[in-house]
Amino acid sequence: MAICTKSTPFHVEITLLAAPSTLYDAVIIVDGEEALMPLAANLLVTDFLRDQYRICWPVLGLGIANIVSEKVELPRCPAQL
């Protein structure tokens, strides 16, 4: 279980350690500098996002989520595909 910014709990069914990126139809990287810095430094996260991009699944970054996408070296717009 995780806690969102409004302190409302939501249940996490599976973690990055247990599931390959092919199980997800899309990924949303939410805003929040405290959470994004550790994500950008985590090799499992960067590999997961690279795999998402390689199999042509959408990746949406909100707010300053470009920190993570720059680390993974994902294109920032469809024109770069």
Side-chain angles (χ1 to χ4, degrees), residues 12-21 23-24 39 42-49:
V12 177
E13 294 180 17
I14 195 164
T15 68
L16 290 173
L17 294 172
S21 61
L23 293 180
Y24 298 91
L39 283 177
N42 189 325
L43 185 59
L44 291 172
V45 172
T46 56
D47 286 345
F48 183 91
L49 292 173

Side-chain angles (χ1 to χ4, degrees), residues 37-76:
M37 298 310 259
L39 283 177
N42 189 325
L43 185 59
L44 291 172
V45 172
T46 56
D47 286 345
F48 183 91
L49 292 173
R50 279 189 193 107
D51 289 343
Q52 279 290 116
Y53 174 74
R54 288 180 187 138
I55 60 174
C56 299
W57 288 123
V59 177
L60 171 65
L62 302 174
I64 62 166
N66 62 340
I67 292 171
V68 179
S69 62
E70 286 173 359
K71 174 80 174 176
V72 180
E73 299 177 357
L74 296 179
R76 295 190 70 176

